[in-house]
Each structure stands twice: as structure tokens, then as C-alpha cells.
Amino acid sequence: MAKQSRKQRKQSSAQQQSGPTMAEQADRHVFYQEAVQNAETEIDFVDETFEAIRGRKMRLLREDFSGTSQVCCEWVQRRPDNKAIGVDLDPEVLQWGREHNLSKLNDEQLSRVTLLEDNVLTVKTEPMDAVLAMNFSYWCFKDRDTLRGYFKRIHEVLKDDGIFFLDCFGGYEAFRLLEESTEHDDFTYTWDQSEYNPINGDYVCHIHFEFPDGSKMKEAFTYEWRLWTMPELLELLKEAGFAKVQAYWEGEDEDGEGDGNYEATEVGEADAGWVCYIVAEK
């Protein structure tokens, strides 16, 4: 193949730049699911932990702050009698979930998923075996009364042997302003802890995506939270009426990295950063 002249290279580069960038063509929800969510692993933990504690299979699951409802879809595919309810205030993300996730279910599976555009503080559903509030979504409630009120609502909607599953992150780096990037095959995911007020706990975080052509999707997602600590959360869950509240900490492999196995414990590691589950039994 003949070499291009400098003029040809410039023309080619200009033509490439005139078209849409990868960031402009990207769907933020697709990359969020790839970078942040692992519905299969999450449901593995919830399903196995519920059965270990209660001695029976759970069937009715509610996913609060359900977003694209990927977890709901994973749940109804596990067993033919599983039923899922997803609750989210954002009609755009619920519709995206219908078009991209629920559309992959067969008719029978689809009949066992209900998506509600509603507020988790006031929504009414049938009694559930389990309610999930994952990806730290409940941190949008910034004061103790509101968060306790949400926990009380969950306590009320659970069956007598129901369980509430949450996740939490912390460690001394959680209080720092930092950016942490992770390389994926066709994009780079960046978690940006942009603002933190140590007086009231206000916390602003962003997710950015960068693509091989150098284009960026800045602030693809923004979260305005309170940075809650584990002791505060455990106390509020008990105040809300839960009989037993337990942290499930991730184990380590031979290299000191997380091994994906979470066990109930009263003592965690003072790591720079950690993610764990909280299991609250009614």
C-alpha cells in the first residue's frame, strides 16, 4: 500500500474529526452496566444469603432505585416462580430498561416483572421476601430522619421473615477528593469524588467515560449524596425496627485482593477503600 502524503493524512484526519466522536455515539447506560453493575454476582449473594439465613428459597424481590432494572431481569430468569418489582423515579431510565433489558426476556419471564415509576418513600407494594437498595443509591437521603423513615418503610413492606439487602462503601480514601480510573476493553471508566463537606457529609461524585478516539463523556452520571458511615447505617436500621443487622465483609485471596466472597463479621479491615453488604433481618 502506498504511503499517504502529509496533505492526505491531514485531509483524512479532518474527515475523521468531522464525524461524531465515540463519546457522542455512546449510550451511557450501556457503559454503566458494564463498568459498575454485576447483576449476576449481586443476585448470587442475595439468593444464597437469604436461603442460608431463612432456610427457604426467596421468591418475591423488590429492587429500589432500580434504574435500568437489570437486577429484576436477572432475578426472574433464575427460577420460574420468581417475581420482581423495580421502583424508580426516573421515567427515562425505566424506559431504557424496558427497551434494552426487559426486551430480552421471554413473554413468561416478562409477566413476572413490574416496573413502577414511584418514590421509594411512599410506594406501596405487596409484602416482599427481600428488598434491595444497591449501588449506594439510598445515600440520596441526607438526614437521619429521612433515611430512618425509608428504612421503616422497608421494614413494613417485608414479610415476617423478610430481609433488606444494602451495600455500603468506605475507608479513609472515601473522604478524599480523587479520581480513580479503570481500563476496560473499549473504554475507560473514571470514578470522581469531586466534592466533600466534612461538616455535614455532603458528597458529590461523578462517573466519566473516555474512549479510544480520545473523546470523553464527562459527568455521564452525577450523584449528590451524604457520605454515610457504617456505624450510622447499622444504628439507623436497628432504630427502624430490624431485629438483626449484620455487615458482610469481602474475603481476600493470596495476593491480598478481594476474592468476591462475603461473610458476616463484626470486625472489618481498616483499608483505604472497601465495599461491603449490609443484611437487615426483620
Side-chain angles (χ1 to χ4, degrees):
M1 179 182 291
K3 291 183 179 180
Q4 288 184 321
S5 68
R6 180 177 298 178
K7 181 178 180 181
Q8 288 174 323
R9 289 198 298 271
K10 286 184 176 180
Q11 289 174 338
S12 176
S13 176
Q15 289 170 352
Q16 290 175 2
Q17 293 175 5
S18 66
T21 66
M22 295 181 73
E24 291 170 337
Q25 299 177 77
D27 185 327
R28 64 180 184 143
H29 296 302
V30 169
F31 293 99
Y32 176 89
Q33 288 188 164
E34 185 173 345
V36 177
Q37 278 198 300
N38 189 326
E40 183 178 355
T41 299
E42 190 172 296
I43 286 299
D44 282 345
F45 173 79
V46 169
D47 202 17
E48 294 167 7
T49 303
F50 187 96
E51 185 174 8
I53 293 173
R54 296 306 190 204
R56 70 174 180 89
K57 295 283 190 182
M58 57 177 282
R59 186 174 71 85
L60 302 177
L61 176 148
R62 192 176 101 184
E63 181 189 8
D64 282 359
F65 314 94
S66 61
T68 63
S69 307
Q70 188 180 40
V71 169
C72 289
C73 295
E74 176 67 26
W75 180 243
V76 298
Q77 293 179 86
R78 289 294 176 102
R79 291 188 290 274
D81 60 344
N82 284 358
K83 179 180 177 180
I85 298 175
V87 183
D88 202 288
L89 272 175
D90 187 345
E92 182 268 333
V93 73
L94 287 172
Q95 184 58 31
W96 192 96
R98 292 186 184 97
E99 295 174 359
H100 295 83
N101 289 333
L102 273 72
S103 62
K104 298 175 184 178
L105 302 176
N106 62 40
D107 289 343
E108 192 281 327
Q109 292 166 343
L110 189 60
S111 71
R112 294 184 278 111
V113 181
T114 301
L115 300 187
L116 302 177
E117 182 186 334
D118 212 329
N119 190 329
V120 297
L121 293 174
T122 56
V123 66
K124 296 181 179 180
T125 57
E126 64 185 288
M128 308 304 296
D129 291 324
V131 176
L132 279 59
M134 298 296 190
N135 298 322
F136 330 112
S137 47
Y138 60 96
W139 285 10
C140 65
F141 303 133
K142 295 185 177 183
D143 63 86
R144 292 178 64 88
D145 287 345
T146 303
L147 186 56
R148 186 192 301 107
Y150 169 59
F151 290 165
K152 285 182 176 179
R153 293 285 299 181
I154 301 305
H155 189 272
E156 292 168 0
V157 79
L158 288 170
K159 292 183 177 181
D160 289 343
D161 66 345
I163 298 179
F164 184 28
F165 293 88
L166 313 85
D167 58 7
C168 175
F169 77 82
Y172 50 85
E173 285 192 348
F175 298 88
R176 294 179 55 198
L177 304 187
L178 58 79
E179 292 189 14
E180 184 177 71
S181 295
T182 304
E183 298 287 340
H184 291 262
D185 289 341
D186 51 356
F187 68 99
T188 299
Y189 158 80
T190 298
W191 173 252
D192 178 4
Q193 293 168 192
S194 177
E195 300 176 31
Y196 174 63
N197 182 347
I199 294 177
N200 62 10
D202 278 356
Y203 199 46
V204 178
C205 300
H206 307 289
I207 289 175
H208 314 295
F209 298 115
E210 184 174 357
F211 300 93
D213 65 351
S215 62
K216 298 179 181 180
M217 186 184 292
K218 297 285 288 183
E219 299 181 11
F221 296 91
T222 294
Y223 306 97
E224 296 183 2
W225 288 335
R226 171 171 168 172
L227 179 54
W228 291 96
T229 65
M230 176 74 78
E232 291 175 308
L233 296 172
L234 300 183
E235 289 166 3
L236 286 170
L237 286 162
K238 292 173 183 175
E239 291 171 14
F242 286 93
K244 183 178 181 180
V245 183
Q246 185 73 63
Y248 278 66
W249 205 264
E250 187 177 14
E252 294 184 352
D253 59 22
E254 294 179 353
D255 298 323
E257 300 295 327
D259 62 7
N261 298 312
Y262 292 83
E263 300 290 342
T265 183
E266 298 293 333
V267 180
E269 297 293 331
D271 292 332
W274 48 260
V275 177
C276 75
Y277 288 110
I278 300 173
V279 177
E281 302 174 35
K282 186 169 180 177

